[in-house]
Amino acid sequence: MKKAFKIIGITFLIILALLVAIPFAFQGKIKDMVKNLMNENLNANVEFSDVSLSFIRSFPQAHVTVEDLVITNFKPFEGETFVSAKNIAFDMSIKEVFKTASDDPIVVNSISVDEALVTLKTDALGNNNYDITKEQEHAQTTATDSSSGFAFDIKDYSISKSALTYIDEISKTKIYVTELNHSGNGTFSDDTSQLDTTTDANVSMSMDSVQYLNQNKIKLEALIGMNLNEQKYTFMENKGLINQLPLVFDGYVQILEDGQDIDITFENPGSSFKDFLAVIPEVYSKNIENVETTGDFKVNGIVKGKISEETIPTLDINISSTNASFKYPDLPKSVSNINIDTAIKNTTGNVDDTFVDIKTLNFKIDQDVFKSNAVIKNLTKNMLVNANIDGTLNLANITKAYPIEFDKQLSGILKAKVNTAFDMNAIETNAYERIKNTGSVNLSDFIFSSEDIVNPIQINKADMTFNPQSVSLNSFEAKTGTSDFRATGTINNILGFLLSDNTLQGNFNLESNNLVISDFMVEDETATETSNKTTAANQSMKIPEFLDCTINAKANTVVYDNLTLKDVNGTLLIKDQEADLKNLTSNLFNGVLALTGKVSTKTDTPVFDLNLGADGFDIAQSFQSLELLQSIAPIAKAFQGKLNTVIKLQGTLGSDFTPNLNTVSGDAFAELLTTSINQNETSVLSKLDGALNFIDFSKLDLKDLQAKLDFSNGQVNVKPFNLKYKDIGIVVSGGHGFDKTLKYDAVFEVPAKYLGSDVNQLLGKINDPEVNNITIPVTANITGSYTSPKIQTDLTSGVSNLTKQLIEIEKQKLINKGKDEVKDLLGGLLGGSKNETTSDTTTATTDSTKTTTSNTVSEGVKNILGGLLNNRKKKQDSTNN
């Protein structure tokens, strides 16, 4: 016995060793066969990491696994992944592995696919990415194909943890199947057989941007009769679940050369209204097990006809319910008087003729009755809608009767009686002539919250009349944050705004008692914190993207940053996250503000380009409140009076929507209407006062002062402008930085009389009115900073130069005086001799006259000669000394 066990053990070990070792010998053959099979049959790029063979895993069958399979397309889908799979496994008889190249094809008995992703795509030109099989010269239609190296006699198969995507760009159809698990077993090689299958998956489907299924849970247990000769598959015993709605199927699908022939009927086996709740995805309907319902609910349908490139099966699907109700056990309200009569039909087989006829959709919550009906046609192309709504809804009751979760709690009373007829293309392109609306909508006590606004908007009252091509906003009263506003106007595309991604277009007249600009801005999407109440310090604000409108605004008070504007009037054009201000006027700083320009938040950093006009601003108030004015003209803070200015500026805005000063550029023209200076407000004037003691800067004549300047990159360049103090003219030029660094030159034209006693003594000696009016330029260089200025002047050198100038003038005057006296004397002498030579022709004078003339001439000559000698002597003495 021991020997027998020993022999059995040794034999078992040998067999086991062979089962482990032999696959390594044949693995290369299998790998080459898989490569050859794919290369011979596929027009695509095929890659896989490895092919393994095992006799142990599926003993007594061989198990072949292809790992990390990736198939990518050639043109016109070049580079796109068609199929990827973690592994694909084949089971076959061990004897199949030992076949030689001349033997029959290897027969595969089962296939399993794990974690596969398959994308089926048809582009706009009709090309299919799944048309990748090569045409065989001698195609075979049997279950075996010797040319391929493989034959299939499948007994069972499975697909697990996989996904399928179908995209048809022609019909704009998208189908997404996720979490797909499918298995089946049967005999495929027989002419007639049965296939027992189980499937569960999540399915989403949309056609032309209309979502029909959204992650709907589908389960199907189907026994399918297969007639392989006729390629006809019959549903024999079938039970399915769509979400939680049970359905039973009967009928068949037959594969034709040019399509498929379908004849299927289905219905829900019960008639409880709970089946209606089961149609709704569980994520919305929640647990319906304990929901109390009354009334009936039936779904039945027939799908019959041919699927081809030109046709679809005819459809006759009906959904009905009569006088039903439901109540969730943990919610206070119920929904009653539910009546549904809806049909989905297609009688021609033309896909464009499919339509949905909602004859009745009525319900009641508390005392609020809501009625509606609609016809929706042309589902796959430009959908046509004709709908009627008549009813009242307390919006707060929606979540009290049905377990739907909104981001923000709804409230308010909606009353509507509207007929609307439109096509979706008209909605998307704003073709108003094809949008027909009549009726009215009234909304009261409604609170609206959205990611597009900072604060919830509380709509106290909204009354709208629907006209054929627009909506008249008859009244609108609302609050948001600390702002209140009232509006009337016209809305051009309310359906486009509600049903599509269109902007809200219209013209509005807006009135407000208090309007805070930050209440209407939205938070930046890049912000790290979110809130529907406030904007965090590190967030920037945005102009809402959904607005495309013109607003004629009138407000008693508008608050922008730290500014309070009164009696604001103007027009605001908002589009593409840009606000265009037109003729905006306001009372501010006891004057009038006028503003035009643009503010844009399209880029990550908001930008502005504005023209600002100020008429009669109180200087002290404006420079106290506006950092921009302080930066442009810091010294003006010391002025008391009125300011007129025109400023053109552009730059970027910070997160609080105020200008980033280092980015601001532009130019300005300013006129000061002022009579006094507060020297305590500026150390610059105090420093000048000390350096130039002949000027009292508190008494500068600033009347009608005008200045031009430009600024960029944080620097202000001031064009030369004129000031005056008594009879002293002053010219100022230079510039400063927004950081309050100074670099100015002030040139003072100073009359000589202000320059000290020495200069005045010289003026007295000269005693000439023209000399008394002489002036010299004194330049003051102002550097440092506004709070710590440095003053340098050339006053000393100027006085010295003036003194030399005056001495020279006095000297020249004495010389010129001496020359004049000599000239007069010589002229007299020459004049006397000439008279004597002509005495014969003149009348003789009296003796007394002769005597006087003679004495005068003699005294003059004496004085001149004496003066000349004395001067000469003084010069000699001076030389000797």
Side-chain angles (χ1 to χ4, degrees):
M1 181 65 70
K2 289 184 178 179
K3 185 176 181 180
F5 278 116
K6 186 175 182 179
I7 294 172
I8 292 171
I10 293 172
T11 303
F12 177 76
L13 289 176
I14 292 173
I15 293 173
L16 182 63
L18 289 172
L19 291 175
V20 173
I22 290 175
F24 289 98
F26 288 89
Q27 190 161 298
K29 174 185 175 183
I30 297 295
K31 191 172 185 178
D32 291 339
M33 191 173 295
V34 171
K35 284 184 178 180
N36 292 334
L37 170 68
M38 293 184 175
N39 288 331
E40 290 174 2
N41 290 275
L42 300 180
N43 280 314
N45 182 43
V46 181
E47 296 180 359
F48 51 85
S49 62
D50 198 10
V51 175
S52 61
L53 172 65
S54 172
F55 290 155
I56 301 294
R57 185 170 179 177
S58 300
F59 188 82
Q61 289 192 314
H63 185 84
V64 179
T65 302
V66 179
E67 298 179 357
D68 300 322
L69 174 69
V70 178
I71 302 175
T72 53
N73 289 101
F74 294 150
K75 292 181 180 180
F77 301 95
E78 188 172 6
E80 296 183 9
T81 300
F82 170 49
V83 174
S84 67
K86 185 176 181 180
N87 62 68
I88 300 177
F90 306 90
D91 287 345
M92 63 195 73
S93 174
I94 291 178
K95 68 178 182 179
E96 299 296 317
V97 179
F98 296 95
K99 291 182 177 179
T100 64
S102 60
D103 290 328
D104 294 333
I106 294 175
V107 178
V108 176
N109 301 123
S110 69
I111 300 175
S112 64
V113 180
D114 188 29
E115 295 185 28
L117 300 175
V118 181
T119 301
L120 307 177
K121 186 175 181 180
T122 301
D123 65 17
L125 299 177
N127 300 306
N128 301 315
N129 73 332
Y130 46 86
D131 290 339
I132 61 172
T133 56
K134 293 181 179 179
E135 293 184 3
Q136 302 294 331
E137 293 183 3
H138 303 288
Q140 298 186 18
T141 59
T142 64
T144 62
D145 185 357
S146 61
S147 67
S148 68
F150 282 93
F152 295 96
D153 186 13
I154 296 174
K155 301 295 188 297
D156 59 75
Y157 65 94
S158 66
I159 301 171
S160 62
K161 299 178 183 178
S162 298
L164 171 69
T165 297
Y166 173 76
I167 300 174
D168 187 340
E169 294 182 355
I170 296 176
S171 63
K172 297 182 180 180
T173 300
K174 296 180 180 180
I175 299 175
Y176 300 96
V177 180
T178 60
E179 299 181 34
L180 171 63
N181 293 284
H182 174 75
S183 62
N185 59 77
T187 305
F188 286 79
S189 58
D190 296 340
D191 291 340
T192 59
S193 61
Q194 294 180 355
L195 179 64
D196 194 358
T197 65
T198 300
T199 306
D200 65 85
N202 294 331
V203 179
S204 298
M205 184 181 74
S206 65
M207 297 178 66
D208 199 16
S209 302
V210 179
Q211 195 81 28
Y212 293 97
L213 299 174
N214 184 18
Q215 287 293 304
N216 291 72
K217 189 74 175 178
I218 291 178
K219 292 184 178 181
L220 177 64
E221 295 178 358
L223 181 62
I224 301 174
M226 298 188 299
N227 185 328
L228 297 181
N229 289 331
E230 297 180 4
Q231 296 193 58
K232 185 175 182 180
Y233 306 91
T234 304
F235 291 95
M236 302 173 68
E237 297 177 11
N238 307 283
K239 181 186 293 185
L241 286 173
I242 299 178
N243 292 326
Q244 301 174 70
L245 174 67
L247 294 174
V248 293
F249 295 83
D250 287 303
Y252 66 86
V253 175
Q254 185 174 9
I255 308 300
L256 306 176
E257 290 185 3
D258 58 346
Q260 301 169 27
D261 184 30
I262 296 178
D263 188 348
I264 295 175
T265 62
F266 61 89
E267 67 176 351
N268 60 322
S271 60
S272 168
F273 186 77
K274 190 174 290 188
D275 287 349
F276 169 79
L277 300 178
V279 176
I280 303 169
E282 188 175 358
V283 67
Y284 300 115
S285 63
K286 309 301 181 186
N287 184 4
I288 64 172
E289 183 178 353
N290 297 319
V291 175
E292 299 176 3
T293 64
T294 63
D296 59 1
F297 177 77
K298 289 297 294 182
V299 175
N300 57 72
I302 300 173
V303 180
K304 186 175 183 178
K306 183 178 179 180
I307 296 179
S308 67
E309 294 184 358
E310 293 80 22
T311 62
I312 65 169
T314 60
L315 303 174
D316 187 5
I317 302 171
N318 297 280
I319 304 170
S320 64
S321 180
T322 305
N323 206 25
S325 70
F326 69 85
K327 184 183 184 303
Y328 280 79
D330 53 349
L331 294 178
K333 304 289 184 180
S334 64
V335 180
S336 60
N337 291 7
I338 302 171
N339 292 280
I340 302 172
D341 185 1
T342 297
I344 303 172
K345 292 183 180 294
N346 184 303
T347 59
T348 66
N350 184 344
V351 65
D352 295 338
D353 293 334
T354 304
F355 67 93
V356 178
D357 185 4
I358 306 174
K359 298 178 181 178
T360 304
L361 178 56
N362 302 341
F363 61 88
K364 180 180 179 182
I365 303 178
D366 277 353
Q367 302 304 312
D368 297 334
V369 176
F370 188 87
K371 299 179 180 180
S372 64
N373 59 75
V375 176
I376 306 172
K377 297 181 178 181
N378 203 25
L379 300 179
T380 60
K381 291 187 177 180
N382 181 23
M383 189 167 63
L384 305 173
V385 177
N386 190 327
N388 293 284
I389 297 173
D390 183 4
T392 300
L393 273 181
N394 184 335
L395 300 176
N397 284 339
I398 294 177
T399 55
K400 293 178 181 179
Y402 190 79
I404 189 170
E405 296 178 359
F406 294 111
D407 292 336
K408 304 293 185 296
Q409 181 64 39
L410 291 178
S411 65
I413 306 297
L414 174 66
K415 296 180 180 180
K417 188 171 184 178
V418 176
N419 169 259
T420 181
F422 58 86
D423 62 87
M424 286 304 299
N425 178 261
I427 295 291
E428 294 167 356
T429 61
N430 296 328
Y432 304 123
E433 68 278 3
R434 301 205 310 270
I435 303 173
K436 309 299 181 184
N437 298 309
T438 58
S440 63
V441 172
N442 181 272
L443 185 64
S444 60
D445 300 323
F446 176 71
I447 296 178
F448 174 73
S449 297
S450 167
E451 293 180 356
D452 292 329
I453 57 177
V454 173
N455 301 296
I457 297 178
Q458 178 182 333
I459 302 174
N460 300 324
K461 178 183 178 182
D463 185 9
M464 294 177 287
T465 300
F466 283 72
N467 306 307
Q469 296 181 2
S470 65
V471 176
S472 296
L473 184 61
N474 304 317
S475 64
F476 185 89
E477 298 177 6
K479 294 181 179 180
T480 181
T482 57
S483 301
D484 66 89
F485 53 99
R486 300 166 301 283
T488 59
T490 302
I491 305 172
N492 295 330
N493 68 331
I494 192 169
L495 292 179
F497 175 64
L498 296 175
L499 302 179
S500 186
D501 294 330
N502 289 6
T503 56
L504 181 63
Q505 297 178 340
N507 297 295
F508 305 99
N509 298 311
L510 179 69
E511 294 184 356
S512 174
N513 291 319
N514 186 62
L515 207 61
V516 181
I517 298 300
S518 60
D519 286 341
F520 296 87
M521 308 309 295
V522 298
E523 299 170 3
D524 193 348
E525 293 178 355
T526 60
T528 58
E529 300 179 19
T530 58
S531 169
N532 71 327
K533 294 294 183 185
T534 58
T535 299
N538 63 340
Q539 296 173 335
S540 63
M541 296 184 292
K542 296 285 187 180
I543 297 171
E545 188 175 7
F546 65 81
L547 288 178
D548 179 4
C549 57
T550 299
I551 301 174
N552 298 308
K554 182 178 182 180
N556 295 333
T557 301
V558 174
V559 178
Y560 171 65
D561 194 31
N562 63 335
L563 297 180
T564 300
L565 293 81
K566 297 291 186 180
D567 299 327
V568 177
N569 288 275
T571 300
L572 197 62
L573 280 68
I574 300 176
K575 185 177 182 179
D576 295 334
Q577 289 189 283
E578 286 188 354
D580 190 357
L581 287 74
K582 301 288 188 182
N583 303 320
L584 181 68
T585 62
S586 170
N587 293 333
L588 182 65
F589 304 135
N590 296 330
V592 177
L593 169 71
L595 194 62
T596 61
K598 287 187 177 181
V599 177
S600 174
T601 62
K602 292 175 66 174
T603 55
D604 292 338
T605 302
V607 297
F608 67 94
D609 187 349
L610 298 173
N611 296 326
L612 183 151
D615 184 12
F617 269 19
D618 182 277
I619 296 174
Q621 291 185 39
S622 59
F623 278 79
Q624 184 70 31
S625 300
L626 289 177
E627 184 181 359
L628 179 63
L629 290 182
Q630 294 177 23
S631 300
I632 292 176
I635 198 171
K637 186 179 179 181
F639 299 159
Q640 295 177 336
K642 296 291 185 179
L643 166 71
N644 293 340
T645 184
V646 176
I647 303 175
K648 297 180 180 179
L649 66 163
Q650 53 273 332
T652 66
L653 297 171
S655 60
D656 58 352
F657 228 59
T658 58
N660 292 319
L661 293 180
N662 288 333
T663 69
V664 173
S665 62
D667 57 70
F669 172 78
E671 179 182 29
L672 296 180
L673 309 176
T674 184
T675 57
S676 62
I677 293 178
N678 182 0
Q679 247 182 309
N680 295 328
E681 290 288 345
T682 173
S683 54
V684 176
L685 295 181
S686 299
K687 287 276 188 177
L688 283 170
D689 235 347
L692 304 171
N693 55 16
F694 51 83
I695 295 181
D696 183 356
F697 281 94
S698 65
K699 297 181 180 179
L700 279 175
D701 183 3
L702 300 175
K703 185 178 181 181
D704 299 329
L705 170 64
Q706 296 181 344
K708 293 182 179 180
L709 50 90
D710 56 64
F711 42 90
S712 62
N713 300 320
Q715 296 293 319
V716 179
N717 177 40
V718 179
K719 306 295 174 62
F721 66 91
N722 298 317
L723 293 171
K724 194 171 184 181
Y725 172 77
K726 296 183 179 179
D727 52 354
I728 299 176
I730 307 170
V731 179
V732 181
S733 62
H736 62 272
F738 285 175
D739 58 0
K740 296 188 178 180
T741 56
L742 303 174
K743 191 176 181 181
Y744 278 94
D745 292 329
V747 180
F748 300 80
E749 290 295 335
V750 184
K753 63 184 179 182
Y754 293 112
L755 300 177
S757 57
D758 292 339
V759 173
N760 280 305
Q761 288 177 6
L762 287 171
L763 293 174
K765 288 180 181 181
I766 296 173
N767 193 22
D768 187 333
E770 293 184 1
V771 174
N772 288 339
N773 293 329
I774 195 170
T775 63
I776 63 166
V778 176
T779 300
N781 302 118
I782 307 169
T783 58
S785 68
Y786 180 70
T787 55
S788 182
K790 297 177 182 179
I791 308 295
Q792 290 182 334
T793 70
D794 59 356
L795 178 61
T796 301
S797 60
V799 172
S800 176
N801 292 333
L802 176 61
T803 302
K804 292 178 182 179
Q805 183 181 353
L806 292 176
I807 291 173
E808 182 64 28
I809 289 172
E810 183 184 15
K811 177 181 176 181
Q812 292 298 325
K813 185 175 182 181
L814 289 173
I815 292 173
N816 290 336
K817 181 178 179 182
K819 288 181 179 180
D820 289 341
E821 289 177 348
V822 171
K823 182 178 179 181
D824 291 342
L825 176 59
L826 294 175
L829 292 174
L830 293 174
S833 301
K834 185 176 180 181
N835 289 337
E836 288 179 0
T837 57
T838 58
S839 59
D840 293 339
T841 59
T842 60
T843 305
T845 60
T846 62
D847 290 341
S848 60
T849 301
K850 288 180 180 180
T851 301
T852 302
T853 302
S854 176
N855 292 337
T856 302
V857 173
S858 298
E859 190 64 28
V861 171
K862 180 180 178 180
N863 291 338
I864 291 172
L865 293 176
L868 293 174
L869 292 174
N870 287 335
N871 287 336
R872 181 178 180 82
K873 182 178 181 181
K874 289 179 181 179
K875 289 181 180 180
Q876 289 175 348
D877 291 342
S878 175
T879 303
N880 293 332
N881 292 335

